[in-house]
């Protein structure tokens, strides 16, 4: 069975500092990984997906199949990045996602 | 486009009461799903549907029923509410790989 692990429940960094939100997964097949974000009083929304290899709001994430990781990174955190971040895994042809437990990021001024 | 609309936003129930959480989407998405969000546990899939007339169980289906009579609507029913069902519930619909979420229903069962 697939599993997504986000080891940090809470993460605080200062504005301008680099930030990395960790995500590890277990899945025997070829995974598709996503990061979803929930800002305060807003809906959960897609931030980025690994197949797009895109940078959204300065965030990037690289799929490392050897380490089974999909860490989210940003070189210079901003206060508006404060939010709950969820890593999610889509397995095979199924549409449903398996979510991690989430990391609450706080960027301090 | 309203996207995914959930009602109500808040609800308090007594143990044993029944209720239906409503979810509607106006994007003509075939796939819809219900998640519950609990502290430290992330989002867990309750039920999902790949189209009208087709539903299936997710990770935590016990105590919940769903139906999908139309493409637009995917209600979630609690037949006999229990305190363990206190949670925030999210409905989502999907186009391709992207999930679109509703704003959530905060449910408390006393």
């Amino acid at each position: 069975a697939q599993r997504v692990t986000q080891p940090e429940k809470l993460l605080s960094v200062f504005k301008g500092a680099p930030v990395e939100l960790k995500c590890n997964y277990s899945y025997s097949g070829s995974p598709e990984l996503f990061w979803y974000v929930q800002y305060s009083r807003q809906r959960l929304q897609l931030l980025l997906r690994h197949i797009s290899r895109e940078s959204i709001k300065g965030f990037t994430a690289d799929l490392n199949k050897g380490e089974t990781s999909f860490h989210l990174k940003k070189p210079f955190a901003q206060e508006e990045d404060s939010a709950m971040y969820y890593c999610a895994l889509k397995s095979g042809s199924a549409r449903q996602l398996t979510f991690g437990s989430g990391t609450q990021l706080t960027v301090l001024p | 486009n309203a996207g995914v609309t959930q009602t109500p936003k808040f609800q308090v129930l007594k143990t044993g009461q029944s209720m239906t959480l409503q979810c509607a989407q106006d994007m003509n998405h075939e796939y819809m799903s219900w998640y519950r969000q609990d502290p430290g546990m992330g989002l867990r899939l309750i039920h999902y549907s790949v189209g009208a007339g087709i539903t299936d169980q997710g990770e935590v289906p016990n105590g919940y029923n769903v139906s999908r009579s139309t493409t637009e609507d995917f209600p979630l029913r609690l037949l006999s509410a229990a305190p363990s069902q206190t949670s925030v519930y999210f409905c989502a619909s999907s186009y391709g790989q992207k999930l679109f979420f509703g704003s959530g229903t905060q449910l408390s069962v006393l």
Side-chain angles (χ1 to χ4, degrees):
Chain A
Q2 58 266 26
R3 175 175 288 185
V4 177
T5 302
Q6 293 180 250
E8 303 138 330
K9 284 188 178 181
L10 304 171
L11 182 62
S12 295
V13 300
F14 286 101
K15 176 183 173 182
V19 61
E20 180 179 69
L21 290 84
K22 290 184 168 49
C23 172
N24 290 90
Y25 67 91
S26 62
Y27 177 60
S28 56
S30 184
E32 295 181 46
L33 277 298
F34 305 82
W35 278 99
Y36 278 79
V37 60
Q38 188 175 27
Y39 300 103
S40 178
R41 290 185 293 277
Q42 293 189 28
R43 305 177 179 217
L44 199 63
Q45 58 187 286
L46 178 66
L47 180 62
L48 55 79
R49 47 196 163 186
H50 90 269
I51 61 169
S52 300
R53 302 187 67 82
E54 58 203 343
S55 174
I56 303 295
K57 300 184 178 183
F59 284 98
T60 59
D62 291 318
L63 178 61
N64 186 323
K65 291 188 177 181
E67 296 183 358
T68 60
S69 68
F70 188 58
H71 303 327
L72 184 68
K73 301 176 184 178
K74 186 170 183 177
F76 307 103
Q78 303 299 314
E79 290 182 68
E80 55 266 30
D81 296 328
S82 295
M84 177 69 87
Y85 291 81
Y86 290 98
C87 183
L89 164 70
K90 176 178 174 290
S91 53
S93 60
R95 299 254 205 111
Q96 51 268 31
L97 297 181
T98 299
F99 284 84
S101 55
T103 297
Q104 178 68 50
L105 173 66
T106 302
V107 181
L108 304 167
Chain B
N1 269 359
V4 179
T5 302
Q6 284 184 241
T7 56
K9 289 191 184 303
F10 302 95
Q11 183 70 50
V12 179
L13 293 177
K14 293 181 179 178
T15 297
Q17 286 186 313
S18 63
M19 81 158 295
T20 300
L21 307 184
Q22 302 291 344
C23 176
Q25 53 95 5
D26 60 0
M27 298 174 283
N28 203 33
H29 290 168
E30 292 293 331
Y31 180 85
M32 297 186 73
S33 54
W34 276 101
Y35 288 87
R36 58 178 289 173
Q37 182 187 43
D38 300 293
M41 304 189 77
L43 282 82
R44 292 180 292 168
L45 182 66
I46 305 171
H47 284 284
Y48 65 96
S49 168
V50 298
I54 306 169
T55 64
D56 207 345
Q57 297 180 348
E59 180 186 355
V60 288
N62 292 341
Y64 308 94
N65 278 356
V66 292
S67 60
R68 187 90 179 274
S69 56
T70 66
T71 299
E72 294 78 18
D73 300 300
F74 190 45
L76 178 72
R77 296 185 188 86
L78 284 71
L79 300 177
S80 178
S84 60
Q85 294 178 304
T86 293
S87 187
V88 180
Y89 291 84
F90 288 99
C91 178
S93 70
S94 170
Y95 175 76
Q97 297 180 327
K98 184 176 179 179
L99 281 179
F100 294 83
F101 283 88
S103 56
T105 295
Q106 190 168 324
L107 175 67
S108 295
V109 183
L110 306 177

